[in-house]
Amino acid sequence: MKKTTSFLLLLALVVAGRLSAIDPADVKPVKNLIVLIPDGTSIATVSTARWYQWYTHPDRPNLAIDPYLCGTVRTFSSNAPIGDSAPTTSCYMTGHPSRTGYIATYPPADPGNDIFPVDSTRAYQPMITLLEAMRLVQNKATGLVFTCEFPHATPADCSAHSYSRKRYDWIAPQMVHNNVDVVIGGGTSLLDADGEAYLKSHGYNVYRDDLAGMRADGGSKMWALFGKRDMAYDLDRDPAKQPALEEMARKAIEKLSKHENGFFLMIEGSKVDWAAHGNDPVGLLTDYVAFDKACAVALDFAKKDGQTLVVVVPDHGNSGFSLGRRDCKGYDKLTKDQLFSFVTKVKCTAQGFVDKLNAAPATEVQRIFRDNAGFELTDEEMQTLYNCKDYKNSPIPEDKRSEKESLAALYSNSLYGFVAKLLTSKTCFGFTTGGHTGEDVILAAYHPAGTIPTGVNTNIDLHRYMAAALGLSGKPDQLTQEYFVPHTEVLKGYKYTIVPPKTEKDNPTLVVKGRKQQLTISPFTNIIRLGKKAKDEAQLSTVIVYVDKNNTFYLPRSITKYLE
Ligand SMILES: [Zn+2]
């Protein structure tokens, strides 16, 4: 594309991009913010989940969010119209779109492709999030509730900084050290001994797969993790072992609302996205319905409380899910029973079937499908299942399994893929992709004074709206320039060295020599060590981030006070 055209497109979004009917200046202030994010949710997912709920509970024909749907959001990455989880929720939290994989981190410029102006001098700078701003400026309590593992993109976007969403070793310690008051979600295997010790020594109660412990907990600071990594899909969940998202939301609100200064809470229906990626209609619809119940909890609280803003917004679409499919002849004349009877009877998700099939001998396959989905496999379907590469109990030796012996329409390398296709084949639902999609996402909002965003908003507009409601307009950017400053700038005039890591797994250390004091700074926590032997420690109010791409430590300006 010609450079001039690119520039005009960029300008068009900046100048005319705002179509929302509300000006941030008109937003009435609130005390609390609850943001609910159904990850990877396209509007067809919401519509079909509503039918699902109506069909199974005729007394509840609507979703909890229905009365509050108010507009749509264009959610994009800095240089791509189709968003990734990391930069999209980052943008809601910081006000800046970023690149695929970037967690609350400023993107490098991509001239000609950037959708919004990008300042190349700020590449890789961590950006203060709304969660961090509310804690730093207003001393509000903060909380995160989700069903994925805790360092996964969306919870990380609120409370950590990394140009790579995959680097859990950089992200997890930041989340532990970022003073988040209440964390409920997945990932027991990702909270290491150091992290747990830090939390416990700072007044947190920590629970691992301890539902009774979480329920009985009356403290104000808590981490409750369930499942080695992600939690189970709601439909597969053992209610004696793991809480529903609705209960997690209620517990978090109960704790956070006791805080006199108010609170920030992000609640994510994390695995709506995973089911969409996997093209599993059962996981998709049931996890969305479970998410909507958490929305009901938040909305009920907000209406009673009268000081709470609730925003419900997906981070991006996913899978091109459709109610109606090309190869399903006459689908637009099907009755409600023909469309929804099957899917609402299935008792576990595609992942649930995989777990059951891998845990039982092949002789149990028909019983598993009969008991949990009301049908048996045909001979061809059974052959296709046996040929899945990762089916543990297949009577066919692994090296003899092949696509040739399978039904082409249902064949998948993975057992999960096969089950998802099999379940979908019994419906008239469709999927166009196993990845994200770029259409606008729904926006629902409840504001006690009714000042809600309407019309078409960009992800940047939505950040500005939430910041305005909290009296924090422009504040995250100001705080970024105060708390995430390159070490070369903060330490001008001081002697310092970056000590390379001892092993590949470690991070470099920054050693700074002041006139009287020496600092040893390791990244990804809020702790710095003082003295020649680094024996004493001090705690900062934000985490320290190191970026290897530019060999830079990002530090608070005030760190120099420890050197005097
Ligand atoms: Zn996402």
Side-chain angles (χ1 to χ4, degrees):
M1 192 187 292
K2 276 186 186 158
K3 267 194 177 160
T4 43
T5 330
S6 286
F7 177 73
L8 286 174
L9 280 172
L10 202 74
L11 201 68
L13 196 79
V14 180
V15 178
R18 159 158 286 285
L19 291 170
S20 174
I22 191 149
D23 190 308
D26 298 331
V27 182
K28 295 272 189 304
V30 292
K31 186 176 170 189
N32 311 312
L33 171 63
I34 305 178
V35 186
L36 295 114
I37 299 176
D39 203 298
T41 296
S42 299
I43 190 163
T45 301
V46 180
S47 307
T48 313
R50 186 187 294 108
W51 282 116
Y52 185 107
Q53 176 166 301
W54 166 79
Y55 193 79
T56 49
H57 296 92
D59 55 318
R60 282 189 272 130
N62 295 313
L63 295 172
I65 62 162
D66 285 354
Y68 308 100
L69 282 167
C70 56
T72 62
V73 177
R74 300 177 64 189
T75 163
F76 45 85
S77 301
S78 57
N79 62 350
I82 301 174
D84 163 52
S85 295
T88 51
T89 292
S90 282
C91 185
Y92 297 151
M93 290 298 124
T94 67
H96 295 277
S98 195
R99 286 203 195 185
T100 293
Y102 281 53
I103 302 281
T105 296
Y106 200 91
D110 185 359
N113 295 321
D114 282 325
I115 292 168
F116 200 78
V118 170
D119 174 358
S120 60
T121 65
R122 292 184 60 191
Y124 307 114
Q125 184 182 24
M127 294 184 285
I128 288 284
T129 66
L130 274 180
L131 176 150
E132 290 171 318
M134 287 173 73
R135 178 171 63 69
L136 287 166
V137 180
Q138 301 167 324
N139 194 24
K140 290 187 195 281
T142 59
L144 298 169
V145 166
F146 45 89
T147 56
C148 54
E149 61 268 28
F150 71 87
H152 206 267
T154 304
D157 280 334
C158 303
S159 56
H161 311 273
S162 169
Y163 66 81
S164 171
R165 58 181 286 179
K166 292 180 188 152
R167 292 302 299 260
Y168 283 6
D169 57 329
W170 295 345
I171 294 167
Q174 292 183 64
M175 293 178 74
V176 166
H177 287 266
N178 215 346
N179 293 307
V180 184
D181 296 275
V182 178
V183 174
I184 312 176
T188 58
S189 68
L190 296 161
L191 177 64
D192 63 13
D194 286 352
E196 180 162 350
Y198 174 84
L199 290 172
K200 284 184 170 165
S201 66
H202 286 77
Y204 286 83
N205 294 325
V206 179
Y207 302 98
R208 294 172 185 266
D209 288 319
D210 183 357
L211 184 54
M214 182 203 85
R215 283 183 174 154
D217 189 274
S220 59
K221 293 175 158 220
M222 178 183 83
W223 272 57
L225 300 177
F226 299 90
K228 280 200 173 84
R229 288 181 81 92
D230 51 310
M231 293 175 67
Y233 283 102
D234 190 66
L235 192 62
D236 304 333
R237 185 173 55 85
D238 177 348
K241 290 184 176 160
Q242 294 193 354
L245 190 64
E246 174 189 11
E247 180 179 358
M248 294 152 71
R250 190 171 285 122
K251 189 73 187 179
I253 291 172
E254 171 199 310
K255 287 183 178 300
L256 296 170
S257 61
K258 286 181 185 152
H259 204 279
E260 58 182 16
N261 297 330
F263 67 88
F264 166 97
L265 173 61
M266 191 287 293
I267 300 169
E268 184 194 25
S270 316
K271 290 176 69 173
V272 179
D273 180 71
W274 297 23
H277 278 298
N279 287 186
D280 166 18
V282 179
L284 185 75
L285 301 176
T286 52
D287 247 45
Y288 188 84
V289 170
F291 169 79
D292 188 66
K293 288 179 183 163
C295 294
V297 169
L299 288 161
D300 283 350
F301 168 80
K303 282 185 273 179
K304 285 189 195 118
D305 174 66
Q307 308 175 84
T308 303
L309 169 64
V310 177
V311 172
V312 184
V313 63
D315 52 348
H316 51 77
N318 194 339
S319 81
F321 179 71
S322 62
L323 175 49
R325 189 178 71 229
R326 183 194 290 263
D327 66 2
C328 202
K329 219 172 166 234
Y331 68 80
D332 57 349
K333 293 171 198 72
L334 296 181
T335 65
K336 61 184 189 310
D337 296 324
Q338 287 167 322
L339 278 172
F340 303 115
S341 165
F342 169 74
V343 75
T344 52
K345 274 191 202 126
V346 181
K347 293 190 186 117
C348 54
T349 70
Q351 185 60 51
F353 276 103
V354 168
D355 296 343
K356 283 181 165 55
L357 291 166
N358 276 332
T363 50
E364 291 288 294
V365 169
Q366 293 294 29
R367 184 196 56 76
I368 289 170
F369 278 96
R370 212 171 43 236
D371 288 358
N372 295 289
F375 70 91
E376 291 194 353
L377 306 194
T378 63
D379 290 347
E380 290 97 333
E381 287 168 348
M382 191 67 96
Q383 274 309 307
T384 311
L385 185 154
Y386 286 166
N387 279 289
C388 291
K389 293 267 191 296
D390 60 348
Y391 174 35
K392 289 188 181 146
N393 304 311
S394 174
I396 304 174
E398 228 177 307
D399 57 341
K400 297 266 161 38
R401 297 180 207 170
S402 89
E403 188 171 356
K404 280 183 196 150
E405 310 300 320
S406 308
L407 284 171
L410 294 183
Y411 179 75
S412 167
N413 242 335
S414 74
L415 185 55
Y416 181 99
F418 163 74
V419 175
K421 284 182 180 176
L422 180 68
L423 294 174
T424 304
S425 75
K426 311 280 177 193
T427 72
C428 282
F429 305 149
F431 296 96
T432 59
T433 174
H436 294 180
T437 53
E439 73 280 8
D440 289 6
V441 294
I442 60 152
L443 173 63
Y446 170 81
H447 186 295
T451 46
I452 54 170
T454 56
V456 179
N457 300 262
T458 64
N459 41 9
I460 304 163
D461 295 334
L462 188 62
H463 166 82
R464 289 179 183 160
Y465 167 76
M466 294 189 289
L470 293 157
L472 291 171
S473 288
K475 205 69 193 170
D477 273 344
Q478 285 171 25
L479 295 170
T480 292
Q481 302 309 347
E482 199 178 318
Y483 287 99
F484 291 125
V485 189
H487 73 269
T488 47
E489 193 180 325
V490 179
L491 301 177
K492 230 175 229 167
Y494 290 95
K495 278 185 187 163
Y496 59 83
T497 41
I498 294 179
V499 183
K502 286 194 184 105
T503 72
E504 254 183 42
K505 274 189 165 179
D506 294 327
N507 298 300
T509 311
L510 176 63
V511 179
V512 194
K513 284 180 183 150
R515 271 179 300 146
K516 289 180 187 161
Q517 185 63 280
Q518 179 169 318
L519 301 187
T520 306
I521 301 168
S522 304
F524 309 123
T525 76
N526 63 334
I527 297 170
I528 56 171
R529 298 193 185 278
L530 312 176
K532 281 223 166 82
K533 290 184 176 164
K535 270 192 172 167
D536 299 322
E537 64 176 51
Q539 290 184 24
L540 310 178
S541 52
T542 49
V543 290
I544 289 160
V545 179
Y546 169 74
V547 175
D548 55 4
K549 296 251 190 204
N550 56 10
N551 196 28
T552 300
F553 282 78
Y554 289 90
L555 309 169
R557 284 188 195 280
S558 62
I559 203 165
T560 52
K561 77 177 181 207
Y562 294 101
L563 290 160
E564 299 310 322

